[in-house]
Amino acid sequence: MNWAEAGFNVFGTHVLYTDLVGNIAALATVVLAMRKSLWTWPVQLTGAVLLFVASINAHITGNALKQALFGVLAIYGWWAWRRGTQQGSGLPVRPATARERTWLVTVMLAGTAVVGVLFYVTHLSWGAAVPLPKGAFLVAADAYIFVGSAVATWAQGRALVDFWIVWVAVDLVGVPLAFSSGLVVSGAVYGVFFLLVLWGFVKWLREYRARVATGDAVAVAS
């Protein structure tokens, strides 16, 4: 057994260390994001590497590609947040404009369709080898998780309050898929994510409204 497959058994279920430690880092990323700490991004990069390895072992291509994308977007997020906090100012979070929200939804829907076809034709998703209709669902789920995660992380880098809601939409698919694929730690952690994401959304939105009320921010039309 190599390091990527190392782990321990809990009630007859093999838990990978990469899955466990990667998800601890992912949970820390959410908490750090709520606090708007620049450490959000290096911790996210670490978790992404570990969860990439765990996903490859579990043959969840969409989740593996999502983690690879997280690594790239973590660099962008660090750069964007660092620029936004220059001269010691706090990160200026805000809700997305109506145009930005339309863009987010459009990319989610169109991107899932395009990536889903790509995953199916190239067999990048292991679901492509599963008989229909289950195979089609698995491919679509892989594509949705991949695209949704990219959209959410991009919006997070731009400090948009709405990124929390995009994560909720992704987790609604990611949680059952993780459990059905044997990544029990990921499934359980995603459940915790759901609660933390709702908390983060409320926290960021309250902060933005407080800044508007004191005249430190410009209200954004919804």
Side-chain angles (χ1 to χ4, degrees):
M1 179 183 295
N2 58 39
W3 69 271
E5 298 174 343
F8 56 93
N9 293 323
V10 177
F11 301 116
T13 299
H14 187 65
V15 178
L16 296 172
Y17 286 125
T18 51
D19 189 28
L20 176 62
V21 179
N23 275 294
I24 291 175
L27 276 174
T29 297
V30 178
V31 175
L32 290 168
M34 285 192 289
R35 297 172 61 87
K36 300 183 299 179
S37 169
L38 279 176
W39 280 102
T40 297
W41 303 105
V43 171
Q44 177 172 310
L45 178 59
T46 301
V49 172
L50 293 173
L51 291 177
F52 174 83
V53 175
S55 298
I56 289 294
N57 281 338
H59 307 293
I60 308 179
T61 308
N63 197 60
L65 292 175
K66 178 186 74 174
Q67 301 304 331
L69 186 62
F70 276 177
V72 175
L73 289 175
I75 298 173
Y76 163 74
W78 178 84
W79 171 81
W81 279 26
R82 186 172 181 273
R83 185 179 64 172
T85 56
Q86 287 180 344
Q87 299 179 349
S89 60
L91 184 69
V93 301
R94 65 175 177 84
T97 63
R99 182 176 182 178
E100 287 171 329
R101 287 173 180 165
T102 299
W103 183 89
L104 293 174
V105 173
T106 300
V107 172
M108 284 277 287
L109 296 177
T112 297
V114 172
V115 173
V117 172
L118 177 63
F119 278 6
Y120 185 81
V121 172
T122 61
H123 283 240
L124 282 174
S125 171
W126 70 277
V130 177
L132 299 175
K134 182 179 180 180
F137 170 77
L138 292 174
V139 172
D142 268 350
Y144 176 80
I145 289 171
F146 178 75
V147 175
S149 298
V151 170
T153 307
W154 177 85
Q156 178 184 351
R158 293 183 64 84
L160 300 180
V161 176
D162 304 64
F163 98 87
W164 297 102
I165 299 302
V166 179
W167 273 126
V168 169
V170 172
D171 286 345
L172 289 176
V173 174
V175 172
L177 182 63
F179 276 119
S180 65
S181 301
L183 294 181
V184 292
V185 175
S186 288
V189 170
Y190 285 157
V192 177
F193 277 165
F194 184 81
L195 299 177
L196 289 177
V197 164
L198 292 178
W199 181 17
F201 171 71
V202 172
K203 187 175 185 297
W204 275 33
L205 186 59
R206 284 178 176 173
E207 178 180 322
Y208 170 75
R209 288 175 175 172
R211 291 178 61 231
V212 171
T214 58
D216 292 332
V218 177
V220 179
S222 59

